[in-house]
Amino acid sequence: MDQVDFNAPHSMGTTIIGVTYNGGVVLGADSRTSTGVYVANRASDKITKLTDNVYVCRSGSAADSQVVSDYVRYFLHQHTIQLGQPATVKVAANLVRLLAYNNKNNLQTGLIVGGWDKYEGGQIYGVPLGGTIVQQPFAIGGSGSSYLYGFFDQAWKEGMTQDEAEELVKKAVSLAIARDGASGGVVRTVIINSEGVTRNFYPGDQLPIWHDELESHNSLLDILGAPEPMNI
Amino acid sequence: MSSIGTGYDLSVTTFSPDGRVFQIEYAAKAVDNSGTVIGIKCKDGIVLGVEKLIPSKMMLPGSNRRIHAVHRHSGMAVAGLAADGRQIVARAKSEATNYDSVYGDPIPVKELADRVASYVHLCTLYWWLRPFGCGVILGGYDRDGPQLYMVEPSGVSYRYFGAAIGKGRQAAKTEIEKLKLQDLTCRKAVIEVAKISIYGVHDEAKDKDFELEMSWVCDESNRQHEKVPEELLEEAKAAAKLALEEMDAD
């Protein structure tokens, strides 16, 4: 049997999604960070803040995506001070893609930048592996996204409400988690609009059960009142 | 108005006992003695106008442009030493394209004005540089609407509804103040700028012949900075000459 390689780079198999709706954007992601087949973190937060009004969904190498986010956060902070007002989503996305493109030989990270600004409202920009930047009404990324292309082709529609958009994102991440071994854990969503930012968290028991999935049960240890491991 | 700063005016890095830097003030004089430059911010855009004094009848009309495009959305009119002005314009163009490359968006006019002002101010901090002998009126149209800034040789930059520099600035400012800028469209403003400010302030006796150079950036020009269209310019010149004759006839 293969030994787990703890020195393999931490990768976020991942499912990440960004969707615009009539008033802002909803970003969603799973929470599994894997080192080979070992789940290094089963409750990671892959939706990272760049500014008060712009967040980024990270996929691919955990280290690479974190470092890119850190640089962009730093540049945007200075830019905001210089400008005297919040940075636009477009500017944030452009900074991300300049780093992704100019360092393409050394990075392996796909990002989805989403946010709200007073000029253009809610926007989503995809910055996949090579460093292209493309504005889209919705974007999907990470290994789990392969299973979602058909789903979105059918389920996506223009001008959804906030609740419809969040339902869509939740459902999609949950579907991807069911089929993609590298995605799992909980579903996190971040909603960004003119009023501000709302973070939500959906553990397994709040997600729909798909074909062939089993219902979750409370552990017998909880039910039978078993002693804790150290109390012998 | 003028005072000789004997002894304290040899270097831009010297203050006088009453807290003035004379070299900067002398630089401002270079601007004050040049042809009038005007900028106004109207309801739907910016209009820039220059009274370009022509030193020789053999110069080709339209040469020695005093108004320059800095970026698609902004332009700059220069008063004072023309060669110094070219340097400032070159720097502004460079800042604008650099911002666009890094941030993926046209430079906000406020940011551009800050950068130009910093650059002009830079040259007042070192003894081995001299201050720029020119003032600049910067007009642009960005996400926050049309904006007008003026940068002086000292490096200060303020935002204006109407600004004038050069010989006839006092008379020009008086006339501009009479206009109701909130209600004025750029189309009408072009005529006003020509009429009142340029032909009105040009001193036939003292100065040589002059050429009127005008540009605008407004909704009508698709928010791009461009020369005022030929027929509108001619219309403005005709209206201005008429107004002048009416004034003289009184």
Side-chain angles (χ1 to χ4, degrees):
Chain A
M1 174 145 138
D2 287 324
Q3 277 298 329
V4 180
D5 179 11
F6 288 107
N7 294 319
H10 281 48
S11 122
M12 300 172 302
T14 309
T15 307
I16 49 173
I17 298 177
V19 144
T20 57
Y21 71 92
N22 70 356
V25 297
V26 178
L27 302 177
D30 73 306
S31 68
R32 179 171 289 184
T33 305
S34 34
T35 321
V37 296
Y38 174 66
V39 176
N41 187 350
R42 59 186 167 103
S44 14
D45 182 7
K46 303 180 187 180
I47 308 177
T48 305
K49 174 170 149 170
L50 294 180
T51 68
D52 288 342
N53 56 317
V54 182
Y55 279 65
V56 62
C57 297
R58 301 180 292 110
S59 78
S61 153
D64 289 354
S65 65
Q66 280 174 11
V67 137
V68 167
S69 304
D70 287 347
Y71 269 116
V72 174
R73 189 180 309 119
Y74 171 65
F75 294 137
L76 278 175
H77 184 222
Q78 294 184 320
H79 180 64
T80 303
I81 291 172
Q82 182 85 348
L83 229 56
Q85 59 182 34
T88 57
V89 189
K90 187 177 187 190
V91 161
N94 202 57
L95 289 172
V96 170
R97 75 92 179 218
L98 282 179
L99 282 169
Y101 177 76
N102 289 321
N103 297 293
K104 61 160 82 196
N105 293 330
N106 301 318
L107 291 174
Q108 195 176 63
T109 168
L111 304 148
I112 297 179
V113 181
W116 184 94
D117 62 52
K118 69 183 188 203
Y119 300 112
E120 296 288 329
Q123 302 142 73
I124 294 283
Y125 293 86
V127 183
L129 243 42
T132 13
I133 179 173
V134 54
Q135 186 183 5
Q136 304 165 285
F138 71 88
I140 55 179
S143 57
S145 68
S146 317
Y147 309 103
L148 297 177
Y149 284 95
F151 173 71
F152 270 89
D153 280 347
Q154 190 186 57
W156 161 262
K157 50 186 182 18
E158 195 71 49
M160 290 183 285
T161 64
Q162 183 175 306
D163 289 334
E164 283 177 329
E166 208 197 357
E167 248 337 282
L168 177 68
V169 166
K170 219 170 80 177
K171 202 169 174 187
V173 178
S174 156
L175 280 168
I177 287 175
R179 288 293 182 179
D180 179 30
S183 300
V186 303
V187 176
R188 294 190 194 274
T189 64
V190 171
I191 306 170
I192 312 173
N193 51 34
S194 57
E195 267 126 66
V197 176
T198 316
R199 258 194 183 281
N200 288 319
F201 162 83
Y202 301 102
D205 58 348
Q206 287 176 35
L207 298 172
I209 308 284
W210 303 117
H211 173 59
D212 276 357
E213 284 193 309
L214 297 173
E215 293 236 356
S216 55
H217 291 283
N218 287 328
S219 159
L220 281 175
L221 285 173
D222 295 332
I223 298 171
L224 298 178
E228 284 164 39
M230 296 305 287
N231 286 355
I232 297 170
Chain B
M1 188 175 95
S2 51
S3 70
I4 302 173
T6 323
Y8 301 107
D9 60 348
L10 296 175
S11 159
V12 79
T13 53
T14 305
F15 277 98
S16 74
D18 51 346
R20 297 154 72 176
V21 182
F22 281 102
Q23 279 297 310
I24 297 180
E25 295 188 19
Y26 296 162
K29 294 228 175 69
V31 180
D32 292 343
N33 294 333
S34 96
T36 316
V37 171
I38 291 158
I40 58 176
K41 169 176 129 64
C42 330
K43 193 165 64 169
D44 61 339
I46 304 278
V47 176
L48 300 172
V50 177
E51 172 206 12
K52 193 164 68 177
L53 297 169
I54 304 176
S56 154
K57 286 220 179 321
M58 297 215 274
M59 279 171 63
L60 193 70
S63 65
N64 279 15
R65 286 199 65 78
R66 298 277 292 281
I67 304 183
H68 303 89
V70 170
H71 201 55
R72 278 181 300 274
H73 65 358
S74 51
M76 207 176 241
V78 175
L81 300 170
D84 285 14
R86 252 193 299 278
Q87 271 301 101
I88 296 185
V89 169
R91 180 71 185 213
K93 284 179 178 170
S94 160
E95 293 281 2
T97 44
N98 173 260
Y99 184 99
D100 206 324
S101 315
V102 172
Y103 297 105
D105 227 19
I107 186 169
V109 189
K110 174 173 185 289
E111 182 65 23
L112 180 61
D114 280 348
R115 293 193 184 194
V116 170
S118 294
Y119 180 60
V120 170
H121 177 240
L122 186 83
C123 301
T124 66
L125 293 173
Y126 303 102
W127 62 265
W128 36 267
L129 283 177
R130 67 164 174 78
F132 282 103
C134 50
V136 148
I137 296 188
L138 210 190
Y141 201 146
D142 65 18
R143 281 313 193 52
D144 297 312
Q147 290 154 71
L148 187 71
Y149 290 87
M150 183 166 86
V151 184
E152 296 167 25
S154 56
V156 301
S157 139
Y158 290 116
R159 190 171 161 187
Y160 292 91
F161 291 112
I165 33 181
K167 271 199 252 260
R169 69 186 176 287
Q170 271 310 111
K173 275 191 246 184
T174 320
E175 292 301 319
I176 292 172
E177 277 169 32
K178 291 184 193 158
L179 298 171
K180 290 193 72 193
L181 294 170
Q182 280 105 295
D183 305 327
L184 210 56
T185 61
C186 278
R187 203 146 248 282
K188 294 219 178 75
V190 167
I191 314 240
E192 293 301 321
V193 167
K195 196 194 294 182
I196 298 161
S197 319
I198 305 290
Y199 285 84
V201 305
H202 181 68
D203 193 330
E204 287 296 332
K206 271 203 268 169
D207 291 329
K208 313 157 198 148
D209 205 14
F210 82 102
E211 191 189 320
L212 176 61
E213 206 178 298
M214 290 188 73
S215 77
W216 67 0
V217 51
C218 54
D219 292 335
E220 208 181 307
S221 74
N222 237 328
R223 305 196 182 181
Q224 314 268 51
H225 177 260
E226 54 180 38
K227 276 163 69 167
V228 166
E230 198 57 47
E231 4 83 41
L232 183 58
L233 191 60
E234 289 309 313
E235 194 187 319
K237 286 184 186 169
K241 287 198 183 94
L242 198 64
L244 204 64
E245 279 157 29
E246 280 171 12
M247 266 202 312
D248 288 343
D250 284 340

